[in-house]
């Protein structure tokens, strides 16, 4: 992990396991997300901060870059063909973009009921409920729920097409640096990955650090990862002309 100079840090917090968080990340700034204890999962939604109708698109992100997961130098595309954020750095070789989140029915079936009245802040919640609570703070509803990136989670597919969760894929201190190429609203849930086979409700804390960073240069590795990314960056930059 590359240390962040103290003078560049704008904001820091810890999102408790199972809880939600949001932040608008301005162009040229970077959001570092850290798996503090290992085995964590950070489910994230992304929106153009000036127009929530433009949001992260999983299909375009995969198709444009010819990928099936996110990793260092990959980009997060909107449904308008623009790069919302790029992965300037990460310690993980795989971040899941396919599996989505848990739903209330999943949690109830696997772990039973644990209400706020009974357990206060340790009650069981689903990724969908957690994220939609955060969406409501920006005037959005479940109709605005879209594709999710599960940072720190890895899955593999066997020859028969069965998808399996990879345990211990993210050790303590794992991180991902998301550099904003557009003003981006990031909605995050520190909840359980839907394919995690644990017989216990998993909720690990996630560290958040927002810091000043340099914009992507002409020779930036994210921009040059594939020819399509060069066009995606140009589309993002033209948006602000």
């Amino acid at each position: 992990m590359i240390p962040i100079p103290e003078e560049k840090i704008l904001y820091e917090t810890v999102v408790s396991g199972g809880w939600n968080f949001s932040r608008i990340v301005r162009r040229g700034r970077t959001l570092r997300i850290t798996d503090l204890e290992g085995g964590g999962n950070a489910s994230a939604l992304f929106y153009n901060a000036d127009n929530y109708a433009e949001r992260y698109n999983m299909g375009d992100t995969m198709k444009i870059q010819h990928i099936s997961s996110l990793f260092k130098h990959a980009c997060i595309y909107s449904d308008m063909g623009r790069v919302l954020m790029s992965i300037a750095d990460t310690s993980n070789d795989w971040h899941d973009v396919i599996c989505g989140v848990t739903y209330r029915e999943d949690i109830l079936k696997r772990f039973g009921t644990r209400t706020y009245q009974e357990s206060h802040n340790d009650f069981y919640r689903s990724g969908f409920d957690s994220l939609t609570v955060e969406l409501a703070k920006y005037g959005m509803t479940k109709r605005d729920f879209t594709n999710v990136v599960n940072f720190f989670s890895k899955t593999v597919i066997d020859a028969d097409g069965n998808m399996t969760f990879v345990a211990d894929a993210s050790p303590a201190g794992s991180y991902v640096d998301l550099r904003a190429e557009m003003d981006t609203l990031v909605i995050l849930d520190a909840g359980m990955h839907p394919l995690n086979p644990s017989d216990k409700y998993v909720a690990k804390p996630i560290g958040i650090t927002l810091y000043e960073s340099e914009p992507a240069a002409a020779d930036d590795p994210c921009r040059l990862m594939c020819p399509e990314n060069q066009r995606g960056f140009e589309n993002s930059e033209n948006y602000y002309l």
Side-chain angles (χ1 to χ4, degrees):
M1 179 187 296
I2 300 175
I4 304 169
E6 189 69 29
E7 65 273 13
K8 291 185 176 293
I9 295 176
L10 303 171
Y11 174 80
E12 287 187 288
T13 192
V14 174
V15 184
S16 298
W19 283 85
N20 37 284
F21 166 86
S22 61
R23 187 85 186 191
I24 291 176
V25 183
R26 299 296 177 187
R27 295 176 66 204
R29 293 177 175 176
T30 296
L31 189 71
R32 174 169 289 181
I33 307 173
T34 305
D35 182 1
L36 296 174
E37 297 181 357
N41 177 71
S43 300
L45 302 167
F46 303 91
Y47 300 82
N48 177 344
D50 299 317
N51 177 12
Y52 300 153
E54 180 179 2
R55 66 275 308 265
Y56 163 65
N57 185 283
M58 177 190 71
D60 286 351
T61 295
M62 296 170 65
K63 176 179 64 178
I64 288 170
Q65 300 174 97
H66 312 284
I67 59 178
S68 59
S69 66
L70 291 179
F71 42 80
K72 187 175 181 178
H73 300 152
C75 295
I76 294 169
Y77 273 83
S78 80
D79 50 13
M80 298 296 289
R82 292 189 272 257
V83 177
L84 289 168
M85 308 191 92
S86 56
I87 300 181
D89 195 15
T90 181
S91 59
N92 299 56
D93 65 352
W94 185 295
H95 299 279
D96 166 51
V97 297
I98 295 174
C99 295
V101 296
T102 58
Y103 288 82
R104 190 176 307 175
E105 296 79 6
D106 304 326
I107 299 298
L108 178 63
K109 181 178 179 180
R110 293 181 60 182
F111 308 111
T113 302
R114 190 171 180 180
T115 66
Y116 178 80
Q117 288 75 14
E118 297 168 340
S119 305
H120 299 288
N121 288 343
D122 291 328
F123 74 99
Y124 293 158
R125 75 203 77 195
S126 71
F128 179 79
D129 287 344
S130 183
L131 289 166
T132 51
V133 164
E134 202 67 26
L135 284 172
K137 297 177 183 179
Y138 301 88
M140 290 186 276
T141 70
K142 62 183 180 181
R143 294 180 61 184
D144 297 290
F145 194 92
T146 183
N147 307 129
V148 170
V149 175
N150 287 307
F151 292 106
F152 310 120
S153 289
K154 182 175 183 177
T155 58
V156 294
I157 302 175
D158 64 22
D160 296 322
N162 301 305
M163 186 173 289
T164 305
F165 181 82
V166 178
D168 303 321
S170 180
S174 296
Y175 70 97
V176 57
D177 281 348
L178 303 176
R179 182 181 58 205
E181 312 303 345
M182 299 178 64
D183 290 350
T184 302
L185 170 62
V186 180
I187 307 283
L188 184 145
D189 165 60
M192 188 174 186
H193 189 276
L195 293 188
N196 189 326
S198 174
D199 58 0
K200 296 181 180 179
Y201 179 78
V202 177
K204 298 292 188 73
I206 297 296
I208 297 291
T209 306
L210 178 67
Y211 66 96
E212 294 282 7
S213 57
E214 298 298 323
D219 61 349
D220 185 85
C222 299
R223 189 191 294 267
L224 299 180
M225 196 193 86
C226 61
E228 291 82 359
N229 278 7
Q230 297 180 53
R231 291 194 290 270
F233 271 86
E234 289 173 4
N235 290 340
S236 297
E237 291 157 356
N238 288 339
Y239 180 79
Y240 291 97
L241 292 179

